[in-house]
Amino acid sequence: MKISTLIAAGLVAAVSFTAAVAKDISGAGATFPAPVYLKWADAYKKATGAAVNYQGVGSGAGRKQIEARTVTFAGSDIPQKGEWLDQRGLVQWPMVMGGIVPIVNIEGVGPSDLVLDGQTLGDIYSGKIKRWNDAALKALNPKASLPDLPIIVIRRSDGSGTTYNFTYYLSAVNEDFKKKVGTGEAVEWPVGIGGKGNDGVANNVMQTKGSIGYVELAFAIQNGLAYTDMINSAGKRVKPKFDSFQAAAQNADWSKADHFNLVLANQPGASAWPMTVATFILMPTESDDAEAAAAAIKFFDWAYANGGSMAKELDYIPMPDSVVAKVKSAVWSKIAK
Amino acid sequence: MSVSEHRVSLLAQSAADRAKVLVSMATGDRIFSTVTRVCAYGVLLLLAGIMLSLVIGAWPAIQAFGLEFLVTRRWAPQLDEPVLGALAPIYGTLLTSFIAMIIAVPFGLGVAIFLTELCPIPLRRPIRVAIELLAGVPSIIYGMWGFFVLGPFLAQHVEPAIVWAVQDIPVLNTIFGAEVISNISLFNASLILAIMILPFITAIAVDVFGTVPPVLKESAYGIGCTTWEVVKNVVIPFTRVGLVGGIMLALGRALGETMAVTFIIGNSFQIDGSIFSPGTTISAAIASEFAESSDVHRAALMYLGLLLFILTFIVLAAARLMLARLDKRAGA
């Protein structure tokens, strides 16, 4: 009697387990948006009962998995070229945004006390500017008391979408950096100390006097680090804030971007933050499991509509409505449901 | 039946029993030897399997870079045709292990000699237990301690003084020179490594010192040797095989140590001759780059793994050779 109940219970559990697996939407990829995707998934499950599993395994690993079709969707911080996508039967669209901020550890310097521009930031990261009281830094910050200390450069040791976007920006605005370092997920840094992950860089900056690093804004805020302002492409000083990130996305010319292949770095606009990052979703146009694909689109649709405030709580920036409308009309229509 | 006949039959029977018992024992022996042989060959097979899968994984990089990989200083995975070389991680691995050994071997042996020869009896157990506990601390804990405590302390209070003291002395001002002193450097990583391997060396040394027959030591003391002379001429020569074995085990750990080193070495592919500069090691490079690598970059990391494998193998083989030569000399 007891045993048979146990077996029955086991069977029921097994059946319901497989049923749950069949309905699941699975995704993998970039770690940067993982917190917000997980939060959305949690709320979505409460609202609709459908589960979304997202594994933050890294942009590169996510792309591999979507190529092999082992997941329903992939997350990537790096937009892919149209050609690359077409060859693999994939489409991509931007899902949510964040911003990269320079963080510094100098005694008496708080958030937004200093301002940098692409030229000096690039010179610091290519090893040309070596001390905090360098003339270029003094010219940008005439009022700040910059110490006579060496600059300890902190950067990522692992391959990362953050590094890609950061080096993309610096290469765009600093010729010397472009020649010496270039753009990539992992580059050949001429100077500096490598930290693993955004938190590794944040920790190193916290521990090291006179250091500079770059992280997603959320990490700077959570760790109470002093971020700097930036001079943008319009020559204006901007703070890394919600509005300046949204301005970058709004001013970006998405209509010219083939397959949404657009990096938000160095976008025009007087109030645009120069190191804004959009993170992308990749999905196949023809999926083996059309049901799962449709369920995934439903989830993203829900997230665009209801996820904004949750994103903001975690210091992410929702996509502007104009971009969302374009994603729906130009991309989702291509996915076979 | 006479007494002698009875004895003969008993003997015959016991011979038969013995044969039976012997047969069953032989079967047991055969099973035992087969099982142990399978285990031993299994280890060899495993070793070959690991080696083979490393070679297969590294093959694209071996094809692309060949042996030049060993002497290339650049590590540029971002190029369309990546240029990847193992010189910086090999340099970092060997340098950190070397410095760690210089510090840990004399220190570890000193502690062991103190414990076995000089330490008051009531103190022996507590000190030994403390050292064994040190050996059991997970490496990530050493890494965190190095990152948050040791690194900042050295960078603020110790290293600037050394840099200043040697600034005008040629050679030394390269080795101990630094434009920028940060919490993170090859030297700090070496120091953490030294602290990590010290308990290994001490624990093994204490154990092997315990195998010296008391009569040998007593004889030496009896003819008037000092403690130092006893250690130098009796204890160490008697135990050198075990000592070298222990030291090599420690070196093996230092070469392969990953997490603690990744925390405080800086993961920077550079060679500038200074031990206060950031650097990288083979295992640290693999740990920090593997997850987000692909194609030839990943293959190059596998190639690095293969090199570490070979490096460790060479170290162990060299230790064996050294021991064999020592034994020969002792025998002559």
Side-chain angles (χ1 to χ4, degrees):
Chain A
M1 182 60 195
K2 256 189 180 168
I3 291 174
S4 64
T5 6
L6 267 179
I7 292 173
L11 275 177
V12 169
V15 167
S16 59
F17 180 67
T18 44
V21 166
K23 243 182 14 186
D24 265 11
I25 310 158
S26 65
T31 47
F32 154 63
V36 69
Y37 290 172
L38 293 179
K39 191 162 188 173
W40 284 345
D42 196 38
Y44 188 63
K45 182 153 196 189
K46 274 184 198 135
T48 66
V52 179
N53 288 321
Y54 183 78
Q55 299 167 18
V57 290
S59 300
R63 287 198 300 274
K64 282 238 169 68
Q65 292 208 25
I66 196 72
E67 277 184 71
R69 303 289 195 267
T70 50
V71 286
T72 315
F73 69 92
S76 170
D77 292 342
I78 301 158
Q80 298 298 315
K81 288 196 185 94
E83 203 179 309
W84 188 93
L85 293 163
D86 291 341
Q87 275 168 8
R88 289 159 180 81
L90 296 170
V91 287
Q92 76 183 355
W93 68 88
M95 194 65 218
V96 68
M97 295 184 296
I100 300 170
V101 294
I103 46 174
V104 296
N105 179 349
I106 306 168
E107 220 155 280
V109 170
S112 285
D113 281 359
L114 293 186
V115 62
L116 298 170
D117 61 12
Q119 186 66 36
T120 47
L121 194 57
D123 284 351
I124 289 172
Y125 270 89
S126 59
K128 215 162 142 194
I129 294 181
K130 291 178 189 298
R131 296 190 82 82
W132 281 111
N133 57 356
D134 188 276
L137 287 169
K138 273 185 168 163
L140 279 169
N141 301 280
K143 282 180 199 152
S145 60
L146 288 160
D148 180 19
L149 271 179
I151 300 176
I152 298 174
V153 173
I154 317 266
R155 34 76 179 178
R156 291 285 286 269
S157 64
D158 48 339
S160 113
T162 311
T163 298
Y164 177 86
N165 282 282
F166 184 68
T167 52
Y168 181 96
Y169 167 65
L170 293 182
S171 292
V173 293
N174 186 321
E175 263 312 305
D176 202 43
F177 184 89
K178 190 177 176 181
K179 254 188 258 151
K180 248 173 145 173
V181 186
T183 304
E185 285 167 82
V187 294
E188 193 184 12
W189 296 105
V191 285
I193 289 163
K196 191 162 162 53
N198 270 301
D199 34 9
V201 171
N203 268 325
N204 268 303
V205 171
M206 265 192 283
Q207 279 298 303
T208 314
K209 286 226 164 61
S211 62
I212 185 167
Y214 59 90
V215 291
E216 303 287 348
L217 176 66
F219 287 88
I221 291 177
Q222 280 156 20
N223 292 306
L225 288 159
Y227 47 80
T228 72
D229 290 351
M230 288 293 295
I231 306 280
N232 66 14
S233 62
K236 293 273 180 347
R237 176 174 179 158
V238 281
K239 286 180 194 305
K241 286 275 152 61
F242 184 84
D243 303 331
S244 60
F245 295 162
Q246 273 233 327
Q250 234 138 20
N251 295 334
D253 195 353
W254 294 98
S255 60
K256 274 204 199 117
D258 174 42
H259 289 77
F260 284 98
N261 177 12
L262 183 66
V263 176
L264 288 180
N266 209 29
Q267 290 299 329
S271 58
W273 179 252
M275 290 184 284
T276 307
V277 176
T279 182
F280 295 79
I281 299 284
L282 279 83
M283 265 182 74
T285 47
E286 306 259 344
S287 172
D288 305 336
D289 186 354
E291 204 183 326
I297 294 293
K298 221 181 259 169
F299 166 66
F300 292 126
D301 194 24
W302 177 90
Y304 271 147
N306 305 294
S309 59
M310 276 178 270
K312 277 185 224 169
E313 274 168 40
L314 294 172
D315 301 304
Y316 293 88
I317 315 299
M319 297 307 297
D321 293 341
S322 56
V323 180
V324 173
K326 188 163 181 241
V327 168
K328 287 182 184 173
S329 65
V331 184
W332 289 0
S333 55
K334 283 193 207 155
I335 295 174
K337 278 173 219 157
Chain B
M1 203 189 273
S2 74
V3 174
S4 63
E5 274 174 335
H6 182 65
R7 189 180 284 162
V8 168
S9 81
L10 268 183
L11 273 176
Q13 198 181 348
S14 73
D17 283 352
R18 205 167 66 193
K20 226 195 243 166
V21 168
L22 279 179
V23 167
S24 77
M25 277 170 82
T27 321
D29 273 358
R30 257 206 307 280
I31 292 172
F32 182 67
S33 86
T34 316
V35 169
T36 49
R37 185 175 301 141
V38 167
C39 290
Y41 291 168
V43 170
L44 279 182
L45 212 67
L46 200 65
L47 197 73
I50 293 172
M51 192 88 176
L52 190 71
S53 51
L54 274 176
V55 170
I56 292 171
W59 193 247
I62 295 175
Q63 272 185 320
F65 309 117
L67 284 177
E68 232 171 83
F69 189 65
L70 296 173
V71 291
T72 307
R73 271 174 81 153
R74 282 188 77 185
W75 187 265
Q78 83 280 12
L79 304 176
D80 290 335
E81 277 188 29
V83 178
L84 300 164
L87 195 61
I90 291 176
Y91 164 82
T93 305
L94 293 178
L95 185 69
T96 49
S97 295
F98 178 70
I99 298 173
M101 295 308 280
I102 289 182
I103 299 167
V105 170
F107 226 99
L109 292 185
V111 174
I113 291 167
F114 175 76
L115 276 179
T116 52
E117 304 295 329
L118 299 165
C119 181
I121 306 279
L123 269 180
R124 270 185 204 185
R125 262 195 83 76
I127 296 183
R128 264 206 81 168
V129 170
I131 284 170
E132 273 158 21
L133 280 178
L134 266 184
V137 175
S139 64
I140 190 95
I141 307 286
Y142 284 107
M144 284 162 67
W145 179 73
F147 183 77
F148 287 112
V149 182
L150 184 70
F153 174 79
L154 289 174
Q156 277 158 34
H157 303 293
V158 180
E159 286 162 11
I162 299 176
V163 171
W164 177 82
V166 299
Q167 60 188 342
D168 298 322
I169 307 168
V171 183
L172 285 186
N173 63 6
T174 308
I175 297 174
F176 297 103
E179 210 174 329
V180 176
I181 297 172
S182 71
N183 304 341
I184 275 166
S185 68
L186 286 163
F187 177 73
N188 295 2
S190 309
L191 207 55
I192 286 288
L193 275 181
I195 296 169
M196 286 177 69
I197 60 178
L198 187 118
F200 275 82
I201 296 174
T202 303
I204 292 173
V206 167
D207 281 342
V208 298
F209 286 169
T211 65
V212 180
V215 67
L216 277 184
K217 288 198 277 183
E218 279 158 17
S219 317
Y221 282 122
I223 58 169
C225 290
T226 60
T227 309
W228 165 240
E229 285 167 335
V230 172
V231 168
K232 195 181 79 166
N233 300 319
V234 177
V235 176
I236 289 181
F238 190 85
T239 56
R240 65 166 185 273
V241 174
L243 281 185
V244 173
I247 289 169
M248 285 302 151
L249 263 183
L251 178 57
R253 179 166 191 197
L255 286 171
E257 176 48 44
T258 310
M259 272 338 285
V261 171
T262 309
F263 258 68
I264 49 171
I265 199 158
N267 303 304
S268 162
F269 288 81
Q270 63 183 56
I271 304 173
D272 62 9
S274 165
I275 61 172
F276 293 149
S277 296
T280 190
T281 66
I282 293 176
S283 50
I286 296 172
S288 55
E289 297 198 5
F290 199 74
E292 280 286 293
S293 62
S294 56
D295 308 329
V296 80
H297 184 192
R298 172 159 294 193
L301 292 172
M302 297 288 270
Y303 198 171
L304 277 181
L306 184 66
L307 288 178
L308 184 60
F309 197 89
I310 295 170
L311 201 65
T312 319
F313 192 79
I314 291 173
V315 165
L316 291 176
R320 291 261 150 215
L321 253 167
M322 228 155 69
L323 284 178
R325 281 179 64 181
L326 278 175
D327 281 346
K328 220 186 242 169
R329 211 165 55 193

